[in-house]
Amino acid sequence: MDSEILQFTPFASFVHPSFWHKLSENKLNVDKLCDSAKKIYGFYSNIDASNCLLEVEYTAFNQVFEPPKNCFNAYGVLHNKNTIEDFKNVDKNRILQEEGNQIRLLVESGQCLRDPSLLANFLILSYADLKKYKFYYWFAFPAPAEANLFTSKPAAKISDTFSGDQIKEIQEKYLAIEDTKFRSFFILEVLTNGFKTHQLSDLISTSDKENNLKGIDVQKIYFAFSDPSENSNPGWQLRIFAAVLSHFCPILCGSVVNFLAIRLKRQMTIDESIVYVARMSEKPIDFSNEIKWIGWEPNDHGKYVPRIASMANSMDPEKLAETSVNLNLKLMRWRLVPELNLSAISDTKCLLLGAGTLGCSVARNLLAWGVNCITLVDNGNVSYSNPVRQNLFKHEDAEFARPKASTAAKRLLEIYPALNTKGITLHIPMPGHPISDTTKGNTVKDIETLEKLILEHDVIYLLMDSRESRWLPTVLGAFHGKIVLNAALGFDSYLVMRHGTRKSPQEAIDYEKYKRKGLKCIPGDLLGCYFCNDVTAPGNSMRDRTLDQQCTVTRPAVSNIAGSLVVELMTTLLQHELREFAPAFVSAASAKNAEDSDPIPEGILGILPHSIRGVISSFEQILPATEKFSNCIACSQKILEEYSKRKIDFILDALNSSKYLEDITGITEMMKESHEDIIECLDSDLELSE
């Protein structure tokens, strides 16, 4: 008779910092000196399982608990003591036995058959030192002390027992179980023509234990469970699962039984699952009598002593803001978008050229997405008309005519003190705005400062109040291979777009896999910039402007919509596997109607357009995509080559005469050759600018 006991992988606790923050809040505001036991919740996962983790975080205290996506409930009890002496003097065996007795009641009543997730249990004994923000704690995972499984065969991969087609069918059956509480423990039956899954209560009754599983070929069924273990030993919950089976199904005692530990990969495949063939103990475990419970967790050195978590740094008010700011983003990733790469967003350095209506809106949305570095550039001061529309300013800022850029940066720090931000007052030189000899020195310094800022940042936002002020940042952004995003406003309309990249990919990109029926695919390096649809250089739009033209006159919602969309465009771009080389799509000429076209391919956060044009008066929005213009006065190869050769001198020539740009790009010659055709293409009604 086999004598080797099947070993189990104990649960390992993992406490998120948010758990201690919530415990502190509850202790101070709700529990106070009450130290009675509290129900809490945890969760575990069998996807790319690591260390058989059971996790708790701030949601552990929710009255209604939902585990993160593809995770399983664990039911816990918290014993939080008022003093360190109470914590040390607790009778550990007694409270473990008490919690074990609660599990015993769940088994006796049959409740664990109707909801098998109740078999995953834990308790926490703790003491919270809220003066020093130190937390003393000890986890236990109650399980019957009796060993009731003995190895009959070595553990084997699922592929050693089932064929590829069978594994695929089992996988489909498993994933078809929508409610995770029934996916945590279930029965898999092998039929002549496939498989069938059963809930425990389908085959096991509480009223007639002697007849449970009678007439069923035990060798044709597998007692399956979602296993968080990563090694050859099954997870801890199999120990109590086997004990429950021996209690309700005496017919299994002394028999060889099949167990299937379901282990998923990130691709939701079960190829790493393990089959255990084990012999049950001869004597059933009788939960109607007192039984001994074990399960205290040893520390990292294998000693049975409590652990200490020091949270002094993160509970400092500023540190606390830093750890809490991304809570919504983490919930988004845990529950809705597991593939979301938050560091790709938080590590992105953003340069906002313009700290007015658009700049304030963009800055607030970047904060919400967890961006840690925001630099604002503006040449203006806060006026009395600004605070009601520009949400980073107050009335007192207008009273003292404070600089917009530095004031906006100060307000951002008041919202999130850990932000890396600064505001720089800077004039951006513009083509068509001639400079004199007396201002040349300052203009050169401004150009050098702007280029230095663009080099230091990853994403450049063009949020200025004139068309020509966007030219120089567009040139510099294209030359240095930066991601450039543009937002421009009309009275009731807006344009949001990403500029096509002008840098070369490190490796050749196969755009064939992105092509779709009825859609034209435009690679990211062939997309146009803000100026690619123009056939004239920007002139001086500031000259001879009336009062309403000197301000950004728009319907109030336009700037907020555009500011939100341009940030969402950035985050969608950063999550795309090709980033700035990601293609955009437009309906192909061959597509007569929508039925002739495939849907636009989606990334993690949805589709990634080239530009978004919206009109509030009709509440319409379109997603045009245009290719780069070979004669563009901002991003064409001729412009970039000229800048590479002449640098500052090239820019100074463009500032003094915008016609210079038309001459070197060939627009002047093109207009001479086909003047009438060019004029027909100009449609001022479609021009969007702030």
Side-chain angles (χ1 to χ4, degrees):
M1 182 174 288
D2 300 309
S3 58
E4 187 176 345
I5 297 173
L6 179 63
Q7 300 297 316
F8 304 97
T9 302
F11 271 123
S13 61
F14 183 86
V15 185
H16 292 256
S18 62
F19 177 85
W20 302 123
H21 289 265
K22 190 65 178 177
L23 173 60
S24 300
E25 180 185 324
N26 285 355
K27 186 64 178 172
L28 290 170
N29 301 322
V30 182
D31 297 337
K32 299 180 181 177
L33 292 178
C34 175
D35 65 354
S36 59
K38 302 288 188 302
K39 287 186 178 180
I40 58 172
Y41 299 91
F43 58 89
Y44 63 94
S45 176
N46 66 334
I47 299 179
D48 285 339
S50 175
N51 297 326
C52 205
L53 290 182
L54 189 146
E55 304 180 51
V56 292
E57 35 100 80
Y58 78 103
T59 59
F61 299 91
N62 288 0
Q63 289 186 343
V64 178
F65 178 75
E66 282 290 332
K69 187 177 181 182
N70 296 317
C71 291
F72 301 89
N73 270 8
Y75 297 84
V77 175
L78 173 67
H79 296 263
N80 187 50
K81 298 302 176 182
N82 286 322
T83 67
I84 188 66
E85 289 76 16
D86 288 345
F87 173 79
K88 290 178 178 178
N89 295 330
V90 165
D91 186 337
K92 314 296 189 302
N93 290 328
R94 180 182 59 79
I95 65 168
L96 182 60
Q97 201 66 28
E98 287 175 355
E99 300 311 326
N101 287 336
Q102 294 302 311
I103 300 172
R104 183 171 62 84
L105 295 176
L106 292 175
V107 176
E108 272 195 284
S109 67
Q111 205 172 339
C112 65
L113 299 177
R114 297 185 290 275
D115 180 1
S117 67
L118 294 169
L119 294 177
N121 282 268
F122 67 99
L123 72 86
I124 305 175
L125 174 63
S126 66
Y127 163 65
D129 183 346
L130 298 184
K131 290 184 178 179
K132 298 179 180 178
Y133 297 110
K134 283 188 176 181
F135 299 87
Y136 301 80
Y137 68 100
W138 200 347
F139 272 75
F141 306 98
E146 286 187 54
N148 54 6
L149 283 180
F150 302 88
T151 57
S152 183
K153 289 182 181 179
K157 282 194 171 184
I158 191 172
S159 56
D160 295 334
T161 304
F162 299 104
S163 68
D165 288 340
Q166 288 177 315
I167 293 173
K168 186 176 180 181
E169 184 181 350
I170 296 171
Q171 178 179 302
E172 290 173 353
K173 297 285 187 184
Y174 174 74
L175 296 177
I177 304 173
E178 294 184 2
D179 194 330
T180 55
K181 72 181 181 183
F182 297 124
R183 201 189 285 182
S184 55
F185 301 90
F186 63 98
I187 297 172
L188 178 72
E189 183 179 7
V190 182
L191 307 175
T192 54
N193 58 347
F195 299 90
K196 183 177 181 180
T197 59
H198 301 276
Q199 297 177 21
L200 300 186
S201 58
D202 292 342
L203 300 182
I204 301 174
S205 165
T206 58
S207 58
D208 192 5
K209 298 177 186 177
E210 298 301 324
N211 289 314
N212 279 334
L213 301 182
K214 262 192 176 178
I216 296 177
D217 185 353
V218 176
Q219 299 309 307
K220 295 291 185 181
I221 61 175
Y222 288 77
F223 296 99
F225 64 103
S226 297
D227 187 12
S229 174
E230 63 178 333
N231 56 41
S232 58
N233 295 329
W236 189 248
Q237 68 269 49
L238 177 56
R239 181 169 196 144
I240 192 167
F241 188 27
V244 169
L245 290 174
S246 76
H247 173 76
F248 283 114
C249 307
I251 195 173
L252 296 178
C253 293
S255 301
V256 173
V257 176
N258 302 314
F259 294 95
L260 176 58
I262 302 287
R263 300 178 182 180
L264 287 175
K265 300 300 289 179
R266 185 64 60 184
Q267 299 79 16
M268 304 304 281
T269 59
I270 65 168
D271 299 337
E272 298 298 315
S273 299
I274 304 290
V275 173
Y276 298 96
V277 180
R279 181 175 56 80
M280 302 280 284
S281 60
E282 299 289 338
K283 182 182 177 183
I285 293 181
D286 186 0
F287 279 89
S288 60
N289 295 321
E290 289 284 335
I291 57 177
K292 185 179 179 183
W293 295 83
I294 60 172
W296 286 106
E297 180 186 21
N299 67 8
D300 294 336
H301 302 292
K303 295 182 178 179
Y304 286 90
V305 293
R307 304 182 185 208
I308 303 175
S310 177
M311 303 295 293
N313 289 334
S314 64
M315 286 190 169
D316 175 85
E318 289 193 10
K319 293 286 187 180
L320 181 57
E322 189 174 347
T323 57
S324 301
V325 70
N326 290 331
L327 178 59
N328 182 61
L329 301 176
K330 290 174 181 177
L331 288 173
M332 189 186 305
R333 183 178 62 190
W334 293 342
R335 299 181 185 278
L336 301 172
V337 194
E339 305 88 354
L340 188 64
N341 183 356
L342 292 178
S343 62
I345 300 171
S346 62
D347 295 343
T348 297
K349 298 176 181 178
C350 295
L351 177 63
L352 278 55
L353 301 180
T357 314
L358 275 171
C360 290
S361 175
V362 168
R364 289 304 304 262
N365 281 285
L366 289 175
L367 275 187
W369 267 110
V371 172
N372 288 321
C373 179
I374 301 173
T375 301
L376 300 107
V377 171
D378 202 290
N379 194 42
N381 297 325
V382 182
S383 66
Y384 285 108
S385 66
N386 293 156
V388 294
R389 298 179 299 118
Q390 301 175 7
N391 58 28
L392 291 177
F393 304 130
K394 300 189 292 187
H395 177 74
E396 68 179 60
D397 301 325
E399 283 188 290
F400 295 98
R402 289 169 176 155
K404 281 190 172 182
S406 57
T407 304
K410 179 183 176 182
R411 295 286 180 264
L412 290 174
L413 284 173
E414 290 173 0
I415 297 166
Y416 178 38
L419 181 68
N420 177 11
T421 185
K422 59 184 175 180
I424 298 172
T425 299
L426 178 71
H427 171 70
I428 297 178
M430 297 174 276
H433 294 243
I435 58 171
S436 63
D437 291 339
T438 57
T439 59
K440 181 178 177 180
N442 287 333
T443 300
V444 170
K445 286 182 181 178
D446 288 340
I447 295 170
E448 291 173 344
T449 300
L450 178 62
E451 182 164 29
K452 183 173 181 290
L453 286 170
I454 287 174
L455 281 168
E456 292 172 347
H457 292 78
D458 306 306
V459 176
I460 318 302
Y461 282 89
L462 308 186
L463 311 168
M464 298 83 97
D465 61 358
S466 69
R467 180 170 164 271
E468 60 267 30
S469 62
R470 300 162 191 258
W471 175 79
L472 182 55
T474 298
V475 174
L476 296 176
F479 183 78
H480 292 295
K482 300 296 182 177
I483 296 173
V484 180
L485 300 172
N486 212 317
L489 308 179
F491 164 64
D492 64 353
S493 56
Y494 54 87
L495 166 67
V496 169
M497 71 181 301
R498 57 181 171 118
H499 289 191
T501 184
R502 297 297 171 257
K503 70 178 184 181
S504 301
Q506 294 182 345
E507 299 179 1
I509 298 173
D510 180 17
Y511 283 102
E512 288 295 322
K513 70 175 185 176
Y514 294 99
K515 291 185 177 179
R516 297 293 186 274
K517 175 188 173 185
L519 295 175
K520 181 179 181 181
C521 175
I522 307 176
D525 56 350
L526 296 182
L527 292 170
C529 77
Y530 182 68
F531 295 93
C532 277
N533 288 334
D534 295 339
V535 287
T536 58
N540 188 345
S541 66
M542 311 298 288
R543 185 185 299 142
D544 299 326
R545 294 173 74 174
T546 62
L547 176 62
D548 66 308
Q549 293 171 329
Q550 293 169 30
C551 304
T552 304
V553 181
T554 67
R555 289 176 61 170
V558 172
S559 60
N560 289 317
I561 295 171
S564 300
L565 287 175
V566 74
V567 173
E568 293 298 324
L569 187 63
M570 180 197 79
T571 54
T572 305
L573 179 69
L574 295 178
Q575 297 300 312
H576 196 283
E577 59 182 346
L578 297 182
R579 285 176 62 97
E580 58 264 54
F581 294 98
F585 299 84
V586 286
S587 181
S590 58
K592 297 178 181 178
N593 51 55
E595 286 73 21
D596 294 332
S597 300
D598 289 336
I600 295 176
E602 293 190 8
I604 292 174
L605 292 177
I607 65 171
L608 179 59
H610 176 215
S611 61
I612 307 164
R613 287 180 181 262
V615 181
I616 288 186
S617 58
S618 57
F619 292 100
E620 291 180 317
Q621 192 167 272
I622 60 172
L623 307 177
T626 55
E627 296 184 67
K628 67 179 181 180
F629 178 35
S630 60
N631 299 85
C632 177
I633 51 88
C635 73
S636 65
Q637 195 61 33
K638 295 174 185 177
I639 291 291
L640 300 183
E641 288 175 357
E642 196 69 17
Y643 175 72
S644 178
K645 293 175 188 174
R646 301 183 59 224
K647 298 287 183 178
I648 294 290
D649 290 335
F650 158 74
I651 295 174
L652 294 176
D653 285 344
L655 302 184
N656 287 318
S657 173
S658 57
K659 191 174 184 304
Y660 168 71
L661 297 173
E662 296 176 2
D663 291 341
I664 66 172
T665 56
I667 288 179
T668 303
E669 192 65 31
M670 191 171 70
M671 290 182 72
K672 287 180 182 177
E673 294 175 359
S674 53
H675 180 72
E676 291 185 3
D677 292 339
I678 296 295
I679 294 300
E680 289 176 3
C681 292
L682 295 174
D683 186 350
S684 60
D685 291 337
L686 295 178
E687 191 64 54
L688 289 173
S689 62
E690 278 195 304

